[in-house]
């Protein structure tokens, strides 16, 4: 984006404004805030700026008032109060002046968005002289507003946020300072099996938590009613036996999945059939904390347990605080990870927080994201 003359040009920016909204109130503005530098840069260059984003999962072709862009338009009016802001519910060319903003309606209202329809892609491209892809969180989707539009635009380039995401992730993955550790939590090993495979090859240690850790524990132990995936035990065993995987040596267990359930710290061999693991135990926290303190690079994706329940947030909180106090380069990504960061107020202590969920995982897994493929093709 910085290599292109934007002056007086119609600049269409694909942003990621997919934020939680309830009763027209934005509950988290982190993704919008992450897009501001790119928007401001284009305005400073006296461009005619057009923004488009998806929001939620509406039925394609149908307007849904609860998923319209109006709350975001009102939010942006407060930030860009010096600039005239327009709001359009169609994708026909609209005349705006240099230094003005036009926000388009939710792209997922448009028929053909999800299947990357050529007709819709050309309509988007006709709106602009320059297309800027800046929605890293949607870069893994081959859709009309993330991929097709770029293929039909005169000029397509990366925005500041997308460039920063790629730079930070590449820095963490290609030539990390060592020791490098990866922390992988969450509910299902099936959704992160490829991620674990990739990270185990480049990390000195992979720390696992949540339901993922439970599947590793289930290799050798009866873990009661704990969440795990029996079908993936053989694959988990293969990863464990071939790599340095740090598995919890004790756990916080409860007798029901409830925030009111008392927590008991137990070793895996002590867990009864009516109990379920919902957090890591104190000895595991100590082991993992020592590894984190020695790390020079940390890649963090996922909590250690049911951090939403106070009795079972101990492990996630401890690791979050240790990561925050670490002198390492830490990159964190994924929706639950970002929730943890905000819950424990450590945002300013993390080197880089990725705005992507699925895109973050796929990039780390080594997949080529469609939006990046498109930009490389258009800039050969």
């Amino acid at each position: 984006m910085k290599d292109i003359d934007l002056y007086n040009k119609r600049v269409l920016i694909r942003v990621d404004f997919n934020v939680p909204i309830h009763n027209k109130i934005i509950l988290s503005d982190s993704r919008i805030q992450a897009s501001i530098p790119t928007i401001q840069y284009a305005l400073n260059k006296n461009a005619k700026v057009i923004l488009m984003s998806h929001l939620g999962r509406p039925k394609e072709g149908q307007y849904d008032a609860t998923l319209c862009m109006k709350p975001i338009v009102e939010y942006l009016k407060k930030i860009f109060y010096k600039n005239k802001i327009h709001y359009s519910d169609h994708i026909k060319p609209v005349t705006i002046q240099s230094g003005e903003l036009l926000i388009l309606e939710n792209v997922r209202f448009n028929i053909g968005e999800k299947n990357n329809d050529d007709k819709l892609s050309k309509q988007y491209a006709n709106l602009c002289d320059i297309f800027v892809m800046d929605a890293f969180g949607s870069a893994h989707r081959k859709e009309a507003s993330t991929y097709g539009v770029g293929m039909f635009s005169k000029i397509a380039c990366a925005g500041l946020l997308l460039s920063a995401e790629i730079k930070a992730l590449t820095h963490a993955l290609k030539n990390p300072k060592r020791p490098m550790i990866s922390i992988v939590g969450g509910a299902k090993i099936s959704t992160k099996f490829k991620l674990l495979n990739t990270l185990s090859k480049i990390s000195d240690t992979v720390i696992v938590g949540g339901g993922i850790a439970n599947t590793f524990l289930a290799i050798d132990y009866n873990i009661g009613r704990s969440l795990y995936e029996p079908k993936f035990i053989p694959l988990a065993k293969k990863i464990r036996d071939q790599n340095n995987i740090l598995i919890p040596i004790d756990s916080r267990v409860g007798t029901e999945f409830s925030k009111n359930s008392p927590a008991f710290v137990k070793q895996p061999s002590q867990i009864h059939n009516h109990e379920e693991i919902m957090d890591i135990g104190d000895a595991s926290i100590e082991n993992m904390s020592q590894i984190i303190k020695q790390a020079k690079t940390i890649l963090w994706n996922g909590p250690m347990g049911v951090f939403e329940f106070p009795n079972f947030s101990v492990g996630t909180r401890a690791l979050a605080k240790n990561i925050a106090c670490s002198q390492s380069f830490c990159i964190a990504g994924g929706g639950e990870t970002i929730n943890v960061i905000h819950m424990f107020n450590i945002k300013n202590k993390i080197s880089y927080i990725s705005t992507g969920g699925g895109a973050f995982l796929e990039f780390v897994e080594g997949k080529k994201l469609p939006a990046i493929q498109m930009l490389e093709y258009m800039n050969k």
Side-chain angles (χ1 to χ4, degrees):
M1 182 182 184
K2 287 189 173 181
D3 298 330
I4 298 168
D5 180 15
L6 306 181
Y7 179 76
N8 208 32
K9 299 290 196 305
R10 295 174 302 154
V11 178
L12 174 61
I13 307 175
R14 176 48 159 105
V15 289
D16 186 0
F17 287 165
N18 186 32
V19 296
I21 297 175
H22 182 66
N23 290 334
K24 301 181 181 180
I25 297 171
I26 296 170
L27 304 180
S28 172
D29 64 354
S30 57
R31 283 181 172 170
I32 303 176
Q33 286 294 327
S35 299
I36 299 304
T38 297
I39 301 167
Q40 189 65 64
Y41 180 85
L43 290 170
N44 290 346
K45 295 297 180 180
N46 224 27
K48 302 169 183 178
V49 183
I50 306 164
L51 307 179
M52 64 175 176
S53 174
H54 76 283
L55 179 60
R57 298 176 182 272
K59 188 170 182 178
E60 197 168 279
Q62 293 186 14
Y63 178 81
D64 183 343
T66 65
L67 294 174
C68 76
M69 302 297 288
K70 288 179 183 177
I72 294 169
V73 173
E74 295 305 313
Y75 180 96
L76 292 175
K77 283 181 179 178
K78 295 175 184 176
I79 295 177
F80 300 105
Y81 58 90
K82 293 182 180 179
N83 306 89
K84 189 171 183 179
I85 294 181
H86 306 266
Y87 176 38
S88 177
D89 61 356
H90 60 77
I91 47 177
K92 297 175 183 176
V94 176
T95 301
I96 62 171
Q97 303 303 312
S98 297
E100 294 183 352
L101 268 171
L102 168 65
I103 295 104
L104 300 180
E105 189 50 276
N106 187 345
V107 295
R108 287 192 175 168
F109 290 169
N110 301 325
I111 295 174
E113 168 62 21
K114 293 285 284 181
N115 66 0
N116 190 36
D117 179 71
D118 280 358
K119 182 181 177 181
L120 181 60
S121 298
K122 288 175 183 177
Q123 285 182 286
Y124 290 146
N126 287 337
L127 295 174
C128 67
D129 303 304
I130 299 164
F131 171 65
V132 178
M133 177 57 185
D134 205 40
F136 178 74
S138 298
H140 62 310
R141 296 192 176 105
K142 192 174 182 178
E143 299 177 352
S145 69
T146 60
Y147 183 93
V149 56
M151 298 298 287
F152 291 107
S153 295
K154 300 167 191 172
I155 298 172
C157 61
L160 307 186
L161 176 60
L162 182 64
S163 299
E165 293 270 10
I166 294 169
K167 183 178 179 181
L169 283 166
T170 303
H171 174 70
L173 298 171
K174 298 298 182 185
N175 190 26
K177 289 186 178 180
R178 299 207 176 265
M180 174 184 174
I181 70 162
S182 295
I183 301 169
V184 183
K188 294 183 177 181
I189 196 171
S190 58
T191 61
K192 297 186 179 179
F193 181 71
K194 291 180 181 178
L195 179 71
L196 282 167
N197 253 333
T198 301
L199 292 178
S200 63
K201 291 179 174 63
I202 63 173
S203 305
D204 296 288
T205 305
V206 177
I207 293 173
V208 292
I212 291 171
N214 293 348
T215 301
F216 281 101
L217 288 169
I219 297 168
D220 299 312
Y221 302 100
N222 169 28
I223 54 171
R225 294 168 50 232
S226 305
L227 174 66
Y228 75 105
E229 294 179 281
K231 290 182 180 179
F232 280 83
I233 288 176
L235 291 172
K237 186 177 188 302
K238 185 177 180 181
I239 293 177
R240 183 199 66 179
D241 293 347
Q242 294 178 355
N243 301 282
N244 188 16
I245 309 293
L246 188 60
I247 302 164
I249 58 174
D250 62 349
S251 307
R252 279 182 169 76
V253 305
T255 55
E256 60 178 9
F257 191 80
S258 165
K259 66 179 181 180
N260 298 318
S261 177
F264 305 95
V265 177
K266 290 192 172 187
Q267 293 180 358
S269 60
Q270 299 172 327
I271 297 171
H272 295 133
N273 289 336
H274 66 285
E275 294 173 328
E276 56 184 309
I277 298 170
M278 289 192 278
D279 192 13
I280 58 175
D282 297 332
S284 299
I285 290 171
E286 181 59 29
N287 278 355
M288 295 174 182
S289 298
Q290 291 304 318
I291 298 292
I292 290 170
K293 287 175 185 177
Q294 296 167 14
K296 293 291 191 296
T297 303
I298 299 174
L299 192 144
W300 178 21
N301 175 250
M304 292 294 101
V306 190
F307 68 95
E308 301 92 341
F309 296 168
N311 291 344
F312 300 99
S313 64
V314 180
T316 301
R317 182 193 298 111
L319 263 65
K321 296 295 184 183
N322 277 299
I323 292 167
C325 294
S326 168
Q327 298 302 307
S328 64
F329 175 81
C330 175
I331 183 164
E336 282 196 324
T337 313
I338 294 171
N339 290 342
V340 169
I341 288 167
H342 286 295
M343 178 181 285
F344 300 125
N345 196 29
I346 58 170
K347 181 180 178 181
N348 296 330
K349 303 291 181 67
I350 306 297
S351 309
Y352 192 84
I353 301 172
S354 175
T355 57
F360 173 85
L361 295 179
E362 290 191 20
F363 190 99
V364 174
E365 287 169 8
K367 292 181 181 177
K368 200 71 158 180
L369 305 187
I372 296 174
Q373 285 182 314
M374 175 272 295
L375 291 173
E376 289 175 345
Y377 175 81
M378 293 298 292
N379 289 281
K380 283 183 180 178

